[in-house]
Amino acid sequence: MKVLLLVVGKTEESWLKSAIEEYASRIKRYLPFEIREIPSLKNSANLTRNEWKLKEGEKILPLLTPSDQVVLLDERGTEMSSVKFSGFLEKKFQSGAKSLVFIIGGPFGFDESVKKRADFLLSLSKMTFSHQMVRLFFTEQLYRAMTILKNESYHHE
């Protein structure tokens, strides 16, 4: 199964880019993995939050295929331990789906059209993180989950 991480906007900080790239390269030892950036909105200063989310949704939805399993990283989603997340992934891998798409939205969250397309909402924490930090935390957790599934020593209980 291919795993895709869609993110709105660029990662600006070089130290974050470096860490995200490190985990991405580790993940690729286990499965096909790609991070795809969706350009931030331009000329958006006069948009309401709902208009902003709608426009981002119009950029996200065409990138998804009907067969994609879609997971939104959303603060109102389900929280999981690292072990439970690895089990969630294992079930997805065994489902026969060809691709699993995780999406990190923009600053105002997701439009209803994107939420309706999602198969699952996942929260990394009750705390609020910058969208750039979420990218790092998610890639680390995906790598951790793969090591758990392979019974490797990265994760300790």
Side-chain angles (χ1 to χ4, degrees), residues 37-134:
E37 292 179 343
I38 299 168
S40 297
L41 296 178
K42 297 188 187 316
N43 304 318
S44 56
N46 295 326
L47 296 177
T48 66
R49 286 181 180 210
N50 285 339
E51 291 169 331
W52 187 297
K53 291 190 295 186
L54 179 65
K55 289 200 175 290
E56 283 181 349
E58 290 170 352
K59 288 182 167 193
I60 292 169
L61 290 173
L63 300 174
L64 304 174
T65 68
S67 63
D68 289 337
Q69 289 285 307
V70 178
V71 178
L72 304 183
L73 276 77
D74 186 281
E75 62 190 10
R76 289 173 274 303
T78 301
E79 289 185 36
M80 296 182 194
S81 68
S82 296
V83 171
K84 188 166 182 174
F85 180 56
S86 70
F88 170 83
L89 287 174
E90 186 171 40
K91 286 179 186 168
K92 292 291 182 186
F93 295 157
Q94 293 171 352
S95 74
K98 292 183 180 171
S99 62
L100 179 58
V101 181
F102 291 91
I103 307 174
I104 300 172
F108 302 119
F110 295 102
D111 183 64
E112 278 305 309
S113 60
V114 178
K115 287 182 181 177
K116 285 180 184 172
R117 174 57 185 88
D119 297 293
F120 193 79
L121 271 63
L122 174 66
S123 174
L124 295 181
S125 174
K126 290 183 184 196
M127 293 180 170
T128 302
F129 302 116
S130 73
H131 284 70
Q132 292 188 40
M133 292 298 291
V134 169

Side-chain angles (χ1 to χ4, degrees), residues 27-44:
I27 293 164
K28 289 176 185 177
R29 294 182 211 153
Y30 301 98
L31 50 81
F33 177 69
E34 176 188 357
I35 299 173
R36 190 176 308 160
E37 292 179 343
I38 299 168
S40 297
L41 296 178
K42 297 188 187 316
N43 304 318
S44 56

